[in-house]
Amino acid sequence: MSAPILPSAITDLSDTLSRLPGIGPKLAARLAVYLAVKGVRTRDELIAGLGDVAESIQVCSQCANLSESPLCAICLDEGRDRSSVLVVETVLDLYQIEKAAIYKGLYLVLGGLISPVNGVGVADLNIDLLWDMLAKYECKEVIIGFNNNVEGDATAMYISGQVGERFPGIKTSRLARGLGAGISLEYIDPSSLQGAFQNRSSVSN
Amino acid sequence: MSAPILPSAITDLSDTLSRLPGIGPKLAARLAVYLAVKGVRTRDELIAGLGDVAESIQVCSQCANLSESPLCAICLDEGRDRSSVLVVETVLDLYQIEKAAIYKGLYLVLGGLISPVNGVGVADLNIDLLWDMLAKYECKEVIIGFNNNVEGDATAMYISGQVGERFPGIKTSRLARGLGAGISLEYIDPSSLQGAFQNRSSVSN
């Protein structure tokens, strides 16, 4: 065949889409074709929405949360308890916790976890922001809210060690492992089960 | 909480992304956050790519394939055999067949299948383009390349009936059902197996 199968604008868009997390080449091609004709309105909204994000979103200079101003809404909120900082891996983890509306302190978005296998070291993370925050506020507790895996464990260990050295008065805790709501005991992993035993509570009668 | 959890530009982008086929609300939120900071380069390429598609892509006026000109590369190609038209549901089906480089005729992208359940009738499809094409070229065969399901069967039946009425000299065929390469007999569905029996070929020795 002399002519290429797909118009180059479609191939280019498909290539770009396939570089996004969670989008494989098949879905990328499907989206590119959809956005070319059927999804014209969604395409225009996407262009506008991406432009808005480019213009208005910045990273909070204190906690690395997404923000529309130099400091994010949480850091600016005078009602938040400045005596605790909850360290999370990603902004999405922060939003998940905020949705539950059970935590009233500050956050630190680390932006990743220490992972030698993936070439992620301490220097790649927002750890210095944590030291700045602990030095600035009269903080009493650093709560670690990482996923329950090897990288989460290693990073929690590192942070807890560093907090102990740099700020001897501040204690470090980690969110408890245990039984998730709606998760059947039949399918529970050993690590969560161990946590559920360690953190078991007495039942009053 | 007084302030909303997510900056509105992020929520808006996430909402738009979740309207795309194959992207659920969780992935949409993840993508919106990714495109805000980490994926800045991809974001800029997306904006440019979507703009290029908006500017350069149109629908071929003859076969409804995507195109950079009023007629698509396939319809313009003098080397294609104009005696057969392969009717497919989507542009992606066309590309899949073109990649195999085994068909040299023309196409008609129907843009859907007849589906009363989903409210898709003949009027919603590019069926008139098929009659125009059959009237224009000295066509001998209409090949139907639909998926092997209820809508595919119903639409194939409709087209074959209409071709018989409107163009008595043109025959209609449908791509054979059979064993897919790499598909284990153990998992084959009855319809494909029936096709494989009906279309069985003699083995020379």
Side-chain angles (χ1 to χ4, degrees):
Chain A
M1 257 158 299
S2 51
I5 301 179
L6 278 160
S8 61
I10 300 285
T11 333
D12 291 349
L13 179 58
S14 175
D15 286 351
T16 305
L17 287 165
S18 70
R19 281 202 297 280
L20 292 171
I23 297 190
K26 278 274 177 190
L27 178 55
R30 197 173 144 212
L31 289 171
V33 168
Y34 175 82
L35 290 164
V37 180
K38 258 199 190 167
V40 166
R41 212 180 127 188
T42 311
R43 181 183 70 211
D44 294 343
E45 286 173 20
L46 258 188
I47 295 176
L50 290 163
D52 281 352
V53 164
E55 251 179 55
S56 70
I57 301 298
Q58 48 187 295
V59 173
C60 172
S61 61
Q62 178 165 283
C63 79
N65 183 15
L66 295 184
S67 176
E68 283 165 319
S69 48
L71 283 179
C72 76
I74 293 172
C75 284
L76 284 174
D77 185 347
E78 294 291 338
R80 308 281 311 201
D81 172 14
R82 277 156 171 72
S83 74
S84 77
V85 177
L86 174 44
V87 186
V88 291
E89 181 187 348
T90 69
V91 169
L92 290 173
D93 294 341
L94 182 158
Y95 297 138
Q96 198 63 24
I97 294 168
E98 279 298 289
K99 268 193 276 181
I102 50 174
Y103 174 72
K104 294 296 175 196
L106 300 178
Y107 287 90
L108 189 283
V109 179
L110 200 57
L113 294 172
I114 298 170
S115 171
V117 183
N118 298 315
V120 181
V122 176
D124 303 309
L125 306 174
N126 299 321
I127 195 89
D128 285 341
L129 289 180
L130 178 61
W131 313 145
D132 293 348
M133 225 157 154
L134 297 182
K136 181 174 174 189
Y137 298 115
E138 286 184 18
C139 193
K140 287 176 189 137
E141 184 177 6
V142 171
I143 305 169
I144 293 176
F146 297 154
N147 288 329
N148 183 0
N149 57 28
V150 180
E151 284 88 6
D153 293 349
T155 313
M157 198 110 79
Y158 173 82
I159 291 179
S160 128
Q162 288 286 309
V163 171
E165 273 182 34
R166 294 166 187 250
F167 304 90
I170 300 179
K171 74 168 177 175
T172 309
S173 63
R174 187 165 180 196
L175 293 183
R177 290 174 293 183
L179 307 185
I183 303 292
S184 170
L185 259 179
E186 197 180 342
Y187 300 110
I188 201 95
D189 64 292
S191 159
S192 306
L193 195 57
Q194 195 186 28
F197 269 97
Q198 281 167 355
N199 303 312
R200 71 188 181 279
S201 53
S202 67
V203 181
S204 55
N205 54 12
Chain B
M1 255 158 302
S2 51
I5 302 178
L6 277 159
S8 62
I10 300 286
T11 332
D12 291 349
L13 180 58
S14 176
D15 285 349
T16 305
L17 286 165
S18 70
R19 281 203 296 280
L20 292 171
I23 297 189
K26 278 273 176 194
L27 178 55
R30 198 173 145 211
L31 289 170
V33 167
Y34 174 82
L35 289 164
V37 180
K38 257 198 188 167
V40 166
R41 212 179 128 190
T42 310
R43 181 183 68 211
D44 294 343
E45 286 173 17
L46 258 189
I47 294 176
L50 289 164
D52 282 352
V53 163
E55 250 179 57
S56 70
I57 301 298
Q58 49 186 294
V59 173
C60 172
S61 61
Q62 178 163 284
C63 79
N65 184 15
L66 296 184
S67 175
E68 283 165 319
S69 48
L71 283 179
C72 77
I74 293 173
C75 283
L76 284 173
D77 185 347
E78 295 290 336
R80 308 282 309 203
D81 172 14
R82 277 155 171 73
S83 74
S84 77
V85 177
L86 175 42
V87 186
V88 291
E89 181 186 349
T90 70
V91 169
L92 290 172
D93 294 341
L94 181 158
Y95 297 139
Q96 198 63 22
I97 295 168
E98 279 298 287
K99 269 194 275 183
I102 49 174
Y103 174 72
K104 295 296 175 195
L106 299 178
Y107 287 90
L108 189 282
V109 179
L110 200 56
L113 294 173
I114 297 170
S115 171
V117 184
N118 297 314
V120 181
V122 176
D124 303 308
L125 307 173
N126 300 320
I127 195 89
D128 286 339
L129 289 180
L130 179 61
W131 311 145
D132 293 348
M133 224 159 154
L134 297 183
K136 181 175 173 188
Y137 299 116
E138 286 185 17
C139 192
K140 288 176 187 138
E141 184 175 5
V142 171
I143 305 170
I144 292 175
F146 297 153
N147 287 330
N148 183 1
N149 57 27
V150 179
E151 283 88 5
D153 292 349
T155 313
M157 198 110 78
Y158 174 81
I159 292 180
S160 127
Q162 288 286 309
V163 170
E165 272 181 36
R166 293 165 187 250
F167 304 90
I170 299 179
K171 73 169 176 176
T172 309
S173 63
R174 187 165 180 196
L175 292 183
R177 291 175 294 183
L179 307 184
I183 303 292
S184 169
L185 258 180
E186 198 181 338
Y187 300 109
I188 202 99
D189 65 293
S191 159
S192 306
L193 195 57
Q194 194 186 30
F197 268 97
Q198 280 168 354
N199 304 311
R200 70 190 182 276
S201 54
S202 68
V203 182
S204 55
N205 54 10

